[in-house]
């Protein structure tokens, strides 16, 4: 039975994904034990947090609903709506098959990388929550079991005086002593007052001294009470990044994150291999196919995928498996709501080389109100034993904080 390009990418095509799957993968027959379930709908809503979080829900004819989250960004809800016909009628337990078919179906719309992968990630996370509920197991069990009962969280810290080394040190001390975190991160792509032209990515000597002073004061203030990483947000040239990394070698830097733009792997590799300051990279790469090159070229000391952006839970697991072959730890970038944060927790529990998960919302007083359960306690997240992700959306809180113009889930 032949197919043309248009039919493979048309949600109204004559043949459903189930028919295509049966032809290509011999997926036939029904399942016992309450596992013969079909997806009936996919819905999204956006919550106005410190980022516009895109929450995703997958509904079934069994009355079980899975909740996921896609990385924030324009066009994600529209892409998820576009993909809905490709999953309605399918069994949600076929997570890998559905993920690969969404990648294939959306290939003409950019499923190699970018926002299309992000949209697929949101559905994939919801499928893990749904499958765990159907099978009555926590999501980490779907990924092979767990190595740890709780996940370490690193707190992304900010101050109103972000370029003042002493203010950064004060905030570091407060977050450790008052909030209970033993892992922190601060930004280094902050103005020093010495810049001549930030567009050329070049760091003048005084700028490097200023950034080194931030690192010195923060690390000296917390000493062994906390590990501290520093983020550059892809700001500097290769030479400037190298000189900055060299200047930080004498301090207790947990890692230096994204010192150069993400496109040129060779420049990234050069910076990483020519400093003993640990270099972390990964949030702006997509799927294991892209991060594999970073790892295999040993262009990264710590890999930092963002789970609801990179491809979802199983894709993050695949990245971690490649990294483990090179003895590279995984520190998951995370600017999400409690939903994707908990998805990262389940993956972090299931991989041996998990280092920590980022928390980017400590200044947002209602972050944890979105769910009925407690999430972070004393800088750690306990891995839930409840089915799926182990979280329950508080619909009143979701409705209260929805982006203007959004509608609540059914």
């Amino acid at each position: 039975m032949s197919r043309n390009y248009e039919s493979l990418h048309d949600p109204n095509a004559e043949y459903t994904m189930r028919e295509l799957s049966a032809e290509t993968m011999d997926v036939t027959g029904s399942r016992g034990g309450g596992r013969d379930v079909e997806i009936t709908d996919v819905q999204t809503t956006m919550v106005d947090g410190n980022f516009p979080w895109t929450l995703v829900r997958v509904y079934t004819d069994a009355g079980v609903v899975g909740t996921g989250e896609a990385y924030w960004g324009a066009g994600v809800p529209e892409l998820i709506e576009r993909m809905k016909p490709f999953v309605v009628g399918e069994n949600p337990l076929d997570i890998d098959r559905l993920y690969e078919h969404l990648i294939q179906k959306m290939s003409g719309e950019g499923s190699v990388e970018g926002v299309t992968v992000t949209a697929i990630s949101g559905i994939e996370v919801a499928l893990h929550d749904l499958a765990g509920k159907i099978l009555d197991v926590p999501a980490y069990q779907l990924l092979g079991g767990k190595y740890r009962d709780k996940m370490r969280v690193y707190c992304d810290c900010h101050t109103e005086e972000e370029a003042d080394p002493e203010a950064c040190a004060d905030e570091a001390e407060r977050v450790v002593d008052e909030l209970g975190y033993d892992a922190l991160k601060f930004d280094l792509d902050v103005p020093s007052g010495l810049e001549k032209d930030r567009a050329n990515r070049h760091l003048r000597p005084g700028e490097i001294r200023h950034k080194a002073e931030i690192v010195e004061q923060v690390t000296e203030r917390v000493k062994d009470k906390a590990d501290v990483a520093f983020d550059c947000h892809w700001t500097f040239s290769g030479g400037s990044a190298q000189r900055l990394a060299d200047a930080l070698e004498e301090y207790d830097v947990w890692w230096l994150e994204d010192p150069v733009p993400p496109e040129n792997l060779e420049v990234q590799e050069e910076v990483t291999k020519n400093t003993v300051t640990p270099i972390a990279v990964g949030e702006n790469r997509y799927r294991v196919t892209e991060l594999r090159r970073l790892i295999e070229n040993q262009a990264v000391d710590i890999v930092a995928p963002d789970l609801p952006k990179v491809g979802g839970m199983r894709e993050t697991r695949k990245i971690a498996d490649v990294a483990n072959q090179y003895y590279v730890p995984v520190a998951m970038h995370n600017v999400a709501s409690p939903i994707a944060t908990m998805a990262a927790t389940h993956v972090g529990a299931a991989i041996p080389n998990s280092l920590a998960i980022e928390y980017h919302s400590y200044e947002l007083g209602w972050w944890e109100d979105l769910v009925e359960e407690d999430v972070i306690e004393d800088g750690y997240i306990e891995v839930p034993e409840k089915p799926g992700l182990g979280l329950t959306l508080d619909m009143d809180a979701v409705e209260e904080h929805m982006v203007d113009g959004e509608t609540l889930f059914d």
Side-chain angles (χ1 to χ4, degrees):
M1 190 177 297
S2 62
R3 300 283 185 273
N4 58 30
Y5 176 87
E6 287 75 16
S7 70
L8 285 171
H9 295 78
D10 180 1
N12 299 311
E14 176 183 358
Y15 301 103
T16 67
M17 188 192 295
R18 182 178 296 277
E19 290 170 321
L20 288 172
S21 301
E23 292 172 24
T24 59
M25 297 185 183
D26 193 30
V27 179
T28 57
S30 61
R31 308 170 206 204
R35 295 181 295 114
D36 195 18
V37 179
E38 288 190 6
I39 296 171
T40 57
D41 197 10
V42 181
Q43 298 181 14
T44 64
T45 197
M46 294 180 70
V47 172
D48 191 12
N50 52 331
F51 296 89
W53 301 314
T54 301
L55 303 181
V56 184
R57 301 201 94 192
V58 176
Y59 298 77
T60 68
D61 61 356
V64 185
V65 180
T67 302
E69 180 178 355
Y71 189 89
W72 65 276
V76 173
E78 291 80 3
L79 282 164
I80 291 173
E81 180 68 21
R82 167 84 172 90
M83 290 184 282
K84 183 164 67 174
F86 303 148
V87 296
V88 168
E90 292 299 311
N91 192 312
L93 298 178
D94 295 334
I95 298 174
D96 278 355
R97 180 174 65 83
L98 295 181
Y99 173 80
E100 290 298 333
H101 271 282
L102 289 177
I103 293 290
Q104 293 164 14
K105 285 279 192 175
M106 299 298 287
S107 61
E109 297 170 69
S111 63
V112 174
E113 60 183 17
V115 67
T116 304
V117 175
T118 294
I120 294 171
S121 301
I123 296 174
E124 196 263 10
V125 173
L127 290 176
H128 276 86
D129 186 43
L130 187 51
K133 290 174 179 176
I134 291 169
L135 299 174
D136 196 28
V137 296
Y140 73 77
Q141 204 71 67
L142 303 173
L143 300 167
K146 63 179 177 178
Y147 282 85
R148 52 194 62 85
D149 293 323
K150 62 182 181 178
M151 271 302 304
R152 193 182 190 192
V153 176
Y154 74 88
C155 186
D156 193 304
C157 302
H158 305 90
T159 73
E160 292 184 1
E161 302 172 90
E162 61 181 0
D164 181 350
E166 186 173 359
C168 291
D170 288 344
E171 181 65 356
E173 187 174 31
R174 185 186 77 85
V175 171
V176 171
D177 292 344
E178 296 181 17
L179 303 185
Y181 289 90
D182 64 3
L184 316 174
K185 185 168 76 175
F186 283 84
D187 293 343
L188 278 190
D189 58 323
V190 293
S192 65
L194 301 171
E195 294 82 5
K196 295 295 184 182
D197 184 351
R198 297 191 76 180
N200 63 28
R201 302 193 179 100
H202 178 73
L203 283 173
R204 300 172 64 225
E207 294 175 77
I208 291 178
R209 287 195 297 272
H210 170 256
K211 297 180 192 313
E213 186 178 357
I214 292 175
V215 172
E216 179 182 23
Q217 290 210 27
V218 170
T219 55
E220 278 297 308
R221 186 73 66 86
V222 300
K223 296 188 183 298
D224 292 334
K225 293 190 292 184
D227 293 312
V228 190
F230 296 89
D231 199 343
C232 300
H233 294 107
W234 323 280
T235 304
F236 309 124
S237 68
S240 290
Q242 181 66 66
R243 289 185 292 115
L244 175 61
D246 290 347
L248 303 184
E249 287 183 354
E250 64 181 289
Y251 305 114
D252 293 330
V253 174
W254 200 15
W255 70 71
L256 185 66
E257 186 170 329
D258 292 323
V260 297
E263 298 89 352
N264 192 313
L265 177 62
E266 288 73 21
V267 174
Q268 177 65 63
E269 182 179 348
E270 186 78 8
V271 171
T272 300
K273 289 184 175 179
N274 284 283
T275 180
V276 298
T277 299
I279 304 296
V281 177
E283 70 175 275
N284 254 357
R285 300 275 178 166
Y286 292 86
R287 306 186 65 206
V288 67
T289 50
E290 288 194 354
L291 279 93
R292 175 183 60 81
R293 294 178 60 235
L294 273 174
I295 298 163
E296 290 182 347
N297 286 36
Q298 298 180 57
V300 60
D301 297 306
I302 297 165
V303 67
D306 192 300
L307 185 149
K309 180 180 186 179
V310 77
M313 296 175 70
R314 299 182 76 80
E315 197 74 6
T316 303
R317 168 76 206 232
K318 293 175 186 177
I319 292 163
D321 288 342
V322 174
N324 200 40
Q325 301 306 306
Y326 291 83
Y327 319 123
V328 170
V330 177
M332 281 177 267
H333 181 265
N334 177 56
V335 295
S337 83
I339 298 299
T341 301
M342 190 59 79
T345 296
H346 281 277
V347 174
I351 60 176
N353 49 336
S354 182
L355 196 60
I357 299 169
E358 183 175 14
Y359 175 50
H360 206 285
S361 304
Y362 78 115
E363 298 163 301
L364 193 69
W366 53 266
W367 182 84
E368 204 161 276
D369 294 345
L370 281 181
V371 294
E372 296 178 5
E373 296 81 6
D374 294 333
V375 181
I376 302 173
E377 185 174 351
D378 295 328
Y380 285 77
I381 300 175
E382 186 173 343
V383 182
E385 289 300 320
K386 294 169 62 177
L389 296 181
L391 293 181
T392 308
L393 279 179
D394 185 317
M395 291 303 179
D396 290 336
V398 172
E399 185 173 22
E400 179 182 353
H401 298 289
M402 282 192 306
V403 171
D404 289 344
E406 289 290 296
T407 56
L408 191 62
F409 297 114
D410 290 343

